[in-house]
Amino acid sequence: MMRIPLGLLAAATLVACALAPTAAPAQPVVDAPAGALRGEATAGVNVFRGVPYALPPTGWRRWRPPAAMARWNGTRDATRFGPACHQPTARGTSIYAAAEAPTMSEDCLSLNIWAPEGVRDAPVFVWIHGGALTTGSGSEAMYDGARMAASQGLVVVSINYRLGVLGYLAHPELSGESRENVSGNYGLLDQIAALRWIEANIAAFGGDPDNVTIAGESAGALSVMYLMAAPQARGLFDRAIAQSAYMISTPELRSRRHGDPPAEGVGVWLQALLGAQNLAELRAMDAQALTTRSLATGYAPWGTIDGNVLPEQLVQVFDRGEQAPVPLLAGFNAGEIRSLRFLAPPAPADAAAYEAAVRDRYGDLAGAFLALYPSSDMTESLLAAPRDALYGWTAERMGRRQTALGQPAFLYFFDHGYPAADEADLHAFHAVEIPYVFGTGDRTPPRWPVAPDTPVEHRLSAAIMAYWGSFARSGVPTAPDQPDWPAYGQARAWMAFEEGPVVRERILPGMFELREAEVCRRRVAGNMPWNWAVGVVAAPLPPAEAPCP
């Protein structure tokens, strides 16, 4: 038999492949009420990217509520992600920074959909990205919904919303343009508009508009709480997932309360620092320059308590039972502050100075504080105190308040470590659970400590994805061959994610009670915020004089 040289065989194969017809990638077309869309089919999942859900807020529309779009003509290409909303381009050496800045535009109100082929009436999972209401987009690789959609039978949606000064500026002139005489909260209104678009259109992609779960991490979880509190969002979702949420005090539109200046006053202050004479000049500024310069002044975006979109402080809405009555899954991570060191107080000179500072600030509660955060391990205490004050207390508080409404609440504590993270002193850091939720451990940012490709990691991700998926389907988190996850309830149950899932009770005993007592006193005083300034940098705590409002 004649032998053909391998080089010649390889060359012949290449020629044959070049001449042979290649199958074009499948491009599914969906005719939704908003218009027809052409997407992309891959591995059993239809993907539609960059789908606009509201008119772009440019020019005179800047700082206006999102406006509905008319049905577009023809078939719109939906194979590419839309631009991100304007945000700073430089993020230093952060583990959260992407390899390069995204393409940005004010025309950024779009969403992305991953739907299993042939699915009908599937639960809908809507992801709201984090980033301190300043950075991020729904197109980040770590949020890719393909694996969650395929493995859990969900229609997964990620959304963009306006960020920074373009998304959250309040200003008297803006309020004067509003029929409700309010301003701010534009990014939150974008999220509500996206949910309305989903309600009207998702059935065309195989989703069930009557079975929608909103989910988010960090600022995305703060947004979940805002949506739970917002009357305009009521009925647009059926379940909520809050990963590392923080129920801190929030500026009010025209009142100076809880130590925060009025949001409209902040807008006037910012206008002066930017050298603008009026709103028209602010609208004429370049969007990226406006974004960058406002952050350089110290402006920070928050929701605004305006009596309309956000009727009251989140603590008060939840205390009154006026939040959305939906099942909840919420939790936080053991090492939240390890990757957010700017939230940790500076270390006092020694243990004695640490204790003296705590006693000076916490008075009769100092003993309880030092029992939880002792001077004997000051380094860890300085990380644990703001973690618990921001994320731990919020998760348990949400769980308690939903339980009081008669809704099931499921709490978790992510305490899983792996070599790259632990060696960098980032054990269970902020947002580390996200790739486990989406199954995207191979799609993390370039400086992210990469988890090993081991059976332990795959099993944990599969378990977490299944728990989140079943919660989206039924409101009860379950996973094959894993422990049943009990609701918080009377036993104060929670799920620990360590090497695997483990059911426990009473998370960090005493943590909730201490923070609740502290926040209560600050609320009663009326002139003190409750946020990340805890422990040795906290404002002195008032005495207990009245019950919480």
Side-chain angles (χ1 to χ4, degrees):
M1 182 178 68
M2 182 175 68
R3 295 180 180 274
I4 301 175
L6 290 177
L8 183 59
L9 180 61
T13 303
L14 288 173
V15 171
C17 289
L19 295 175
T22 56
Q27 292 191 307
V29 174
V30 165
D31 191 8
L37 291 156
R38 180 183 297 106
E40 180 181 46
T42 175
V45 175
N46 293 333
V47 187
F48 300 86
R49 303 178 179 93
V51 181
Y53 64 81
L55 289 174
T58 58
W60 67 270
R61 291 184 187 278
R62 184 183 288 177
W63 296 306
R64 288 285 181 92
M69 298 178 65
R71 178 181 167 92
W72 57 76
N73 296 321
T75 300
R76 187 183 187 97
D77 179 76
T79 59
R80 298 180 181 180
F81 289 115
C85 295
H86 280 282
Q87 55 195 274
T89 57
R91 296 178 66 187
T93 58
S94 167
I95 63 171
Y96 305 108
E100 57 186 28
T103 300
M104 292 178 282
S105 170
E106 285 192 271
D107 186 0
C108 64
L109 300 188
S110 64
L111 51 78
N112 314 294
I113 302 168
W114 292 264
E117 291 181 5
V119 75
R120 293 289 181 271
D121 296 323
V124 182
F125 181 94
V126 181
W127 180 253
I128 305 169
H129 70 80
L133 303 180
T134 301
T135 64
S137 75
S139 61
E140 292 185 28
M142 194 164 58
Y143 307 149
D144 188 289
R147 290 168 184 163
M148 176 178 274
S151 67
Q152 303 303 313
L154 307 178
V155 173
V156 178
V157 182
S158 68
I159 67 173
N160 287 351
Y161 56 96
R162 279 174 282 181
L163 302 167
V165 66
L166 296 174
Y168 293 91
L169 179 72
H171 190 283
E173 286 189 69
L174 287 171
S175 297
E177 292 180 351
S178 161
R179 284 179 293 183
E180 295 80 15
N181 195 28
V182 299
S183 58
N185 294 323
Y186 303 106
L188 177 58
L189 289 169
D190 294 343
Q191 295 170 14
I192 294 171
L195 290 174
R196 288 183 177 140
W197 191 97
I198 290 166
E199 181 179 55
N201 291 275
I202 205 64
F205 301 85
D208 182 355
D210 296 320
N211 190 1
V212 174
T213 296
I214 57 171
E217 185 271 341
S218 195
L222 173 65
S223 298
V224 166
M225 290 192 296
Y226 285 162
L227 291 167
M228 292 178 72
Q232 289 93 328
R234 198 58 48 87
L236 295 176
F237 59 93
D238 306 277
R239 281 175 273 287
I241 298 176
Q243 301 168 209
S244 302
Y246 42 103
M247 195 180 282
I248 60 176
S249 49
T250 304
E252 305 198 358
L253 184 63
R254 298 187 181 93
S255 302
R256 177 181 292 275
R257 287 185 63 199
H258 305 304
D260 290 317
E264 283 188 345
V266 171
V268 173
W269 164 84
L270 179 63
Q271 173 190 306
L273 288 181
L274 295 176
Q277 297 299 309
N278 49 42
L279 180 60
E281 291 189 10
L282 285 175
R283 281 186 167 137
M285 290 180 66
D286 174 77
Q288 187 59 29
L290 180 60
T291 297
T292 304
R293 289 181 60 194
S294 65
L295 290 171
T297 69
Y299 172 83
W302 301 108
T304 296
I305 307 302
D306 60 3
N308 180 49
V309 182
L310 290 178
E312 246 302 350
Q313 295 288 337
L314 290 175
V315 289
Q316 195 158 345
V317 171
F318 278 73
D319 281 355
R320 292 174 176 172
E322 295 172 351
Q323 74 277 22
V326 297
L328 171 75
L329 191 156
F332 66 114
N333 300 348
E336 299 276 9
I337 309 301
R338 293 184 184 280
S339 57
L340 304 173
R341 300 274 175 164
F342 61 91
L343 295 177
D350 53 33
Y354 173 84
E355 291 194 14
V358 170
R359 294 190 189 282
D360 180 59
R361 287 160 172 78
Y362 282 79
D364 60 305
L365 294 181
F369 187 97
L370 291 170
L372 285 168
Y373 315 110
S375 62
S376 58
D377 195 356
M378 188 164 58
T379 299
E380 289 302 311
S381 291
L382 291 169
L383 295 172
R387 174 200 69 190
D388 296 349
L390 286 171
Y391 307 109
W393 169 74
T394 298
E396 187 156 8
R397 196 173 209 280
M398 292 181 74
R400 285 178 172 232
R401 297 304 184 259
Q402 293 308 103
T403 300
L405 279 182
Q407 295 293 328
F410 301 90
L411 269 60
Y412 73 85
F413 184 56
F414 190 95
D415 195 14
H416 174 71
Y418 54 85
D422 291 349
E423 289 165 8
D425 195 22
L426 291 172
H427 176 86
F429 60 91
H430 184 70
V432 70
E433 83 287 356
I434 293 175
Y436 293 88
V437 171
F438 285 95
T440 51
D442 58 343
R443 308 201 67 190
T444 53
R447 296 184 184 90
W448 189 280
V450 177
D453 186 9
T454 63
V456 168
E457 297 299 315
H458 291 296
R459 282 196 299 269
L460 183 59
S461 180
I464 290 175
M465 196 183 302
Y467 281 128
W468 265 238
S470 66
F471 179 79
R473 282 192 297 275
S474 66
V476 178
T478 60
D481 304 317
Q482 299 294 343
D484 290 337
W485 189 337
Y488 175 78
Q490 293 287 331
R492 299 172 67 175
W494 52 284
M495 184 69 79
F497 291 111
E498 298 169 353
E499 183 169 306
V502 182
V503 176
R504 303 192 190 282
E505 294 181 357
R506 291 186 57 82
I507 189 167
L508 303 176
M511 173 271 291
F512 175 82
E513 290 77 7
L514 171 65
R515 181 62 170 170
E516 186 73 8
E518 177 190 355
V519 171
C520 173
R521 295 191 193 184
R522 298 192 189 283
R523 291 172 63 189
V524 170
N527 61 351
M528 298 180 138
W530 53 95
N531 49 36
W532 49 87
V534 300
V536 298
V537 295
L541 197 62
E545 294 180 346
C548 281

